[in-house]
Amino acid sequence: MFKWIKSGSPWIWLTGGAVSISMLSVLGLILFIGWKGLTYFWPAPLYQWQVNETESLANVPFQHQEMAKNRLIGQLYERKYIPVEQLSNVQDKKLPQEIIDKGLVRRLSIKIANRELYPADFVSILEVNLKEPTTPKEWAVIERSRGGYFFGKPVGFRSADGVLTDDIEKELVKGLTHADTLRDEIQKIVNQTVRTTSWSLEQLRLEKRKKELNDNLSEQERQELESKRLALGRELASGEYQLDSLRQQLNLDALIVEDMTGKVVEIPLSEILDFWFPNQMTYPEKVLHWCEQVWKFLSENPRESNSEGGVFPAIFGTVLLVLIMSIVVMPLGVIAAIYLHEYAKNNALTRLIRIAVINLAGVPSIVYGVFGLGFFVYTIGGSIDSLFYAERLPAPTFGTPGLLWSALTLAVLTLPVVIVTAEEGLTRIPSSVRHGSLALGATQSETLWRIVLPMASPAIITGLILAVARAAGEVAPLMLVGVVKLASSLPVDTQFPYVHLDRKFMHLGFHIYDVGFQTSNIEAARPLVYATSFLLVTVIVGLNLTAINIRNNLREKYRTLGQD
């Protein structure tokens, strides 16, 4: 036994077991987050419960208890056992004796939606106060542009001419198709007319302001600018008139539904995005619906203070931020590593620089955010505005948090990681390779560019992988230098200069924080936190796998040069 311990085998098994446990823990965490997030898009059935006693609805947060006392419609959100001691005396007396003896009672959390009718989306009720649930086929889930989901039974459809029809599903599908066409036309007018004209008006204003500051605006030029402004104003007014006309057409049709209290409600077609009858759907239909909902989540803009809709702007902002950060940090880190390893002498100054670089890797990220806000935004950005954008002042252009300053802040944050890994890669290159290149007549710069850097490229890409892994998940510094809750437009569009580094942007990490802690209805938004978290992990893994694939290809390419 002593010889076996002395041989080191137990430590090998211990290390392997620790690595296996760590990998399984990470995999289990990812699977848990993915399951909790992706099941949100599955069409859950709508249950109908019959309530045993009127008093059991004492905690139901809506006014129509006398109408709902015999019926409760909703989706089962959570089952949870709670100790009987936590219940009030009134509730305790109404529990069966066997449950009181057991000491645990099951409480159901039911999503009833229809938030404009009821003060809350959810209701909690003891299971013993409910009869066995049923799944009526006629109840539908209606996805709306605002107000969240609506659970109701369609009872009629009112067309634009005021005629009521009983063929509800057919007319609703036809109406939604027409509504989607109108929304596409509205978006087209907004993009091609309203935004373009507004941008042109702003450019005219800035041109006039710039000439006024330089005292070279003649009366003729003033009149020409004014005539252009009037023409653009008429074009903008025409576009807004078309938008008003299309929006009025959207409000002509309406779906008439009945909620669980028996109240009849009219929902304008302009607010309805989709509908489905979950209790009528087959399994293939549910899978197809799940895929459609996931695609909407990935491709659409957020709604309802980020608690509804998609996360496409956040995905776009996260990926663009990481790409710009990588473009900035890689040359800086590699150049610094080359100087420290190839050119600088090993003296007290270089040793001090290396210690400083290592210590910078441990600085809290929020400190980098404060540095970016003070140095990049207020100092450099303010100077750029004074020199090149004086006509826009006092409204800042680069003197305010934006995409460029966020990328530079993350570049400074991840720079120590890139420097350390790049220098380690340069250290692994044998000196004989350098000496052989110099002996053949190559200069030191040629040796570095053609021999050393290609051989060290796998280690450099490793530094990039570590930088991306850290930067993609950072939130604290971004809150100070550019990220926002909701961005009005993407940093990339069809207007010159096409990539707008001065704009604010959305980020998946901040989106998770906002939905998880800043949303008024946290219970309804909780599944989106899981879904967005899983998406962020997927984006980071995708970026890392891309970099790992590049590193492996480079490693195979330069293996013959002595690289392991």
Side-chain angles (χ1 to χ4, degrees), residues 266-555:
E266 249 190 33
I267 305 178
L269 209 61
S270 59
E271 298 181 7
I272 300 177
L273 299 176
D274 197 3
F275 76 99
W276 58 91
F277 295 88
N279 298 336
Q280 298 181 12
M281 299 173 71
T282 62
Y283 187 79
E285 291 174 341
K286 290 184 177 181
V287 172
L288 180 60
H289 175 84
W290 180 85
C291 295
E292 292 175 350
Q293 293 297 111
V294 171
W295 173 248
K296 288 181 181 179
F297 177 71
L298 297 176
S299 61
E300 292 184 354
N301 294 329
R303 306 186 308 269
E304 293 288 311
S305 298
N306 292 338
S307 62
E308 301 283 347
V311 293
F312 176 74
I315 299 174
F316 190 88
T318 303
V319 174
L320 185 60
L321 173 69
V322 171
L323 291 178
I324 296 175
M325 181 274 299
S326 302
I327 293 172
V328 173
V329 75
M330 284 302 293
L332 293 178
V334 173
I335 290 173
I338 289 174
Y339 172 76
L340 289 174
H341 189 270
E342 301 292 335
Y343 291 98
K345 296 180 181 180
N346 188 16
N347 51 31
L349 179 61
T350 56
R351 288 194 293 270
L352 182 63
I353 293 175
R354 286 189 176 93
I355 294 173
V357 168
I358 295 173
N359 289 335
L360 282 175
V363 174
S365 59
I366 190 64
V367 176
Y368 286 100
V370 175
F371 168 78
L373 181 65
F375 181 70
F376 290 132
V377 178
Y378 293 150
T379 303
I380 298 181
S383 301
I384 291 175
D385 286 350
S386 300
L387 292 174
F388 302 104
Y389 299 98
E391 67 277 6
R392 296 175 180 255
L393 295 175
T397 303
F398 282 95
T400 184
L403 178 61
L404 176 61
W405 307 134
S406 298
L408 291 179
T409 301
L410 290 186
V412 174
L413 187 148
T414 55
L415 186 60
V417 177
V418 177
I419 293 176
V420 170
T421 53
E423 191 173 2
E424 289 178 354
L426 293 173
T427 305
R428 293 177 59 189
I429 308 301
S431 300
S432 58
V433 175
R434 298 179 177 84
H435 295 161
S437 176
L438 295 174
L440 292 174
T443 62
Q444 186 175 8
S445 60
E446 289 175 338
T447 301
L448 282 172
W449 183 254
R450 296 179 180 273
I451 304 297
V452 177
L453 282 181
M455 295 177 64
S457 56
I460 295 173
I461 299 298
T462 300
L464 175 62
I465 295 171
L466 296 175
V468 168
R470 182 178 182 187
E474 286 292 347
V475 177
L478 298 181
M479 295 171 65
L480 299 176
V481 291
V483 73
V484 291
K485 175 186 179 72
L486 187 63
S488 58
S489 58
L490 295 176
V492 177
D493 57 23
T494 58
Q495 298 173 357
F496 183 82
Y498 310 118
V499 179
H500 304 273
L501 299 180
D502 58 309
R503 289 183 182 175
K504 295 176 175 60
F505 65 101
M506 296 180 66
H507 188 273
L508 284 173
F510 183 76
H511 188 84
I512 295 170
Y513 164 77
D514 178 68
V515 175
F517 298 97
Q518 302 296 318
T519 304
S520 57
N521 195 349
I522 183 60
E523 287 294 333
R526 185 189 300 172
L528 286 178
V529 175
Y530 288 107
T532 310
S533 301
F534 182 71
L535 180 59
L536 178 59
V537 173
T538 304
V539 169
I540 295 175
V541 170
L543 292 171
N544 286 340
L545 288 178
T546 303
I548 290 172
N549 186 48
I550 296 174
R551 181 187 65 182
N552 292 339
N553 291 335
L554 292 173
R555 181 175 292 170

Side-chain angles (χ1 to χ4, degrees), residues 24-40 78 526-527 529-531 533-534 537:
L24 290 175
S25 301
V26 172
L27 181 61
L29 178 62
I30 294 175
L31 291 177
F32 173 77
I33 294 174
W35 173 260
K36 296 287 286 186
L38 295 179
T39 52
Y40 169 73
E78 185 182 32
R526 185 189 300 172
V529 175
Y530 288 107
S533 301
F534 182 71
V537 173

Side-chain angles (χ1 to χ4, degrees), residues 214-285:
N214 296 329
D215 294 328
N216 58 356
L217 180 63
S218 63
E219 187 62 30
Q220 181 180 356
E221 290 176 333
R222 185 186 299 273
Q223 292 178 359
E224 290 178 356
L225 291 175
E226 183 64 20
S227 63
K228 291 181 181 179
R229 187 189 68 82
L230 292 175
L232 290 173
R234 289 191 293 269
E235 184 178 350
L236 181 61
S238 175
E240 291 176 346
Y241 176 78
Q242 295 178 28
L243 287 178
D244 291 339
S245 176
L246 292 174
R247 286 165 180 161
Q248 288 177 1
Q249 294 182 40
L250 273 176
N251 290 320
L252 294 178
D253 298 338
L255 177 66
I256 303 173
V257 295
E258 176 188 332
D259 75 337
M260 67 178 181
T261 66
K263 183 178 180 180
V264 177
V265 180
E266 249 190 33
I267 305 178
L269 209 61
S270 59
E271 298 181 7
I272 300 177
L273 299 176
D274 197 3
F275 76 99
W276 58 91
F277 295 88
N279 298 336
Q280 298 181 12
M281 299 173 71
T282 62
Y283 187 79
E285 291 174 341

